[in-house]
Amino acid sequence: MRERASVGIKDVAHEAGVSVGTVSNVLNQPHRVSEPTRRHVQQVIARLGYVRSEYARQLRAGHSRIMALLVLDMGNPFFVDVARGAERAARDAGLGVMVCNSAQNPSEEAEYLSLFAEQRVRGALITPADPSGATLRDFRRHGIPYVLVDRVAGANEDGAGCSVSVDDVSGGALAVRHLVAGGHRSLAFVSGQAHLKQVQDRREGALKALAEAGLPEDLLRELPTERLDVAAGRDAGARLLGLAQRPTAVFCANDLLALGVLQALYAAGVKVPEDISIVGYDDIEFAAAATVPLTSVRQPALTLGAIAAELLLQETGERAADHRHQHVVLRPELVVRGSSRGIG
């Protein structure tokens, strides 16, 4: 049995008794068509099962209706919320979002950026994994606008585009000020990969808080991890338990690490916060629902994603010529719960 040929715009025009231009206007500029004609053409489209060719439309327009989003880790609820914020803003503008996960791997980041260029996406929202900036420099050659997400534009991205970030130095300082104010003088920092700018900034903020209190940097012992997930947190918790002198408080670079540390301490019979206080970062939904509700530095993830998408829409919209690159920095806040308390 021969397959039925796909229905084209000419078939719709013939069946409806109108021009191809009228059908095109119904699809793309409905305000230019009278309501009775528009309703009639739409009924014919539905009856024939016509689906417009996005590929053909993309060739005419020179770009697609798809916005790309590349994040470090879709297993982290923080980035899920960033994606939700971006998706809402894109949907309101009639665009879709293609979400990709670099898994914190620069080579995977490079592959996805190549895919974005091949697909000629409308623009891209990118949380970089490559500390050198080389993949972004390669991507920039394609002329596709992009916005850095959860990263401040650095020297090697100067003038390349907009950025939306959270002040992670301030966030790290908030966490450690809270612990120092509670009398803690033996601290650990479960940090994640050293090349990630977010980790670097949170460490810088932690050390800044110690300096403000007149305390030496060596009060903060670092426990690096290869990942920023719960399993890496459990491993860090096991190493923490093996220290000859256990710290009285732990600051973790994100909530997933903090939840892993909490699990390791709980399994070993170490009480939180009676024996060790824990502070996380991001304030994901699971933070408040943990066995011991987690004190955390809250990032406005939904707002972060929405602002990034709106900046990209401005740069690629009808008034793109008036667009000026912006670098938006949002403020974090400390949410105190049951996992931290003072000593003495």
Side-chain angles (χ1 to χ4, degrees):
M1 182 177 178
R2 190 175 65 181
E3 292 185 2
R4 179 184 176 185
S6 61
V7 176
I9 193 170
K10 292 181 179 179
D11 299 314
V12 174
H14 176 76
E15 183 71 14
V18 298
S19 69
V20 170
T22 298
V23 179
S24 178
N25 283 336
V26 169
L27 294 170
N28 301 300
Q29 303 180 79
H31 61 279
R32 300 186 61 179
V33 184
S34 68
E35 184 177 348
T37 300
R38 185 168 67 246
R39 188 183 309 114
H40 171 61
V41 172
Q42 288 171 339
Q43 289 172 346
V44 172
I45 287 173
R47 185 169 69 251
L48 295 181
Y50 168 74
V51 177
R52 78 168 100 189
S53 170
E54 174 60 20
Y55 178 70
R57 192 214 62 80
Q58 181 175 329
L59 287 176
R60 292 192 299 271
H63 55 72
S64 76
R65 291 188 301 117
I66 298 298
M67 178 186 298
L69 171 63
L70 180 61
V71 300
L72 292 177
D73 181 11
M74 279 306 293
N76 187 337
F78 166 75
F79 286 112
V80 174
D81 285 343
V82 169
R84 287 171 55 208
E87 191 272 338
R88 289 177 186 175
R91 185 179 57 203
D92 289 344
L95 303 181
V97 177
M98 175 171 63
V99 182
C100 300
N101 175 27
S102 72
Q104 306 163 37
N105 187 320
S107 63
E108 293 193 30
E109 173 181 277
E111 291 176 6
Y112 277 121
L113 293 181
S114 294
L115 175 64
F116 298 164
E118 291 173 7
Q119 296 296 316
R120 299 302 301 173
V121 296
R122 177 73 164 261
L125 309 177
I126 304 168
T127 303
D130 181 3
S132 73
T135 56
L136 283 178
R137 287 193 294 272
D138 290 342
F139 183 65
R140 196 182 308 163
R141 296 199 304 251
H142 299 287
I144 298 174
Y146 66 84
V147 175
L148 297 182
V149 181
D150 198 31
R151 261 284 301 276
V152 179
N156 57 356
E157 294 104 20
D158 185 36
C162 296
S163 66
V164 187
S165 62
V166 176
D167 186 347
D168 283 324
V169 174
S170 175
L174 283 174
V176 173
R177 282 194 198 112
H178 166 67
L179 295 171
V180 168
H184 293 281
R185 296 295 183 269
S186 178
L187 311 175
F189 177 45
V190 178
S191 59
Q193 302 99 308
H195 72 269
L196 292 177
K197 189 66 167 61
Q198 295 89 335
V199 170
Q200 296 170 9
D201 287 350
R202 291 166 198 180
R203 179 193 299 108
E204 180 182 341
L207 296 176
K208 178 181 177 181
L210 291 178
E212 290 172 351
L215 299 172
E217 291 186 359
D218 59 10
L219 288 185
L220 186 72
R221 287 177 285 177
E222 186 169 351
L223 296 173
T225 63
E226 295 183 357
R227 306 284 299 176
L228 289 164
D229 55 24
V230 173
R234 284 195 296 265
D235 174 71
R239 283 183 281 149
L240 186 151
L241 290 168
L243 294 176
Q245 292 184 326
R246 291 181 188 172
T248 61
V250 183
F251 169 42
C252 298
N254 76 2
D255 284 342
L256 296 181
L257 290 172
L259 292 171
V261 171
L262 180 62
Q263 289 178 6
L265 298 185
Y266 182 82
V270 176
K271 295 180 179 179
V272 176
E274 290 86 353
D275 298 326
I276 298 179
S277 289
I278 301 177
V279 176
Y281 204 105
D282 290 338
D283 194 34
I284 62 176
E285 183 178 354
F286 300 131
T291 304
V292 179
L294 189 64
T295 294
S296 184
V297 177
R298 175 179 292 166
Q299 297 200 82
L302 286 169
T303 302
L304 193 74
I307 292 176
E310 287 164 3
L311 289 173
L312 191 59
L313 290 168
Q314 291 172 18
E315 188 172 355
T316 60
E318 294 179 356
R319 301 186 63 182
D322 299 328
H323 177 77
R324 296 293 179 270
H325 293 323
Q326 301 177 50
H327 304 296
V328 179
V329 180
L330 305 175
R331 302 291 295 182
E333 61 177 309
L334 181 70
V335 181
V336 179
R337 299 193 180 93
S339 70
S340 64
R341 75 173 189 181
I343 61 174

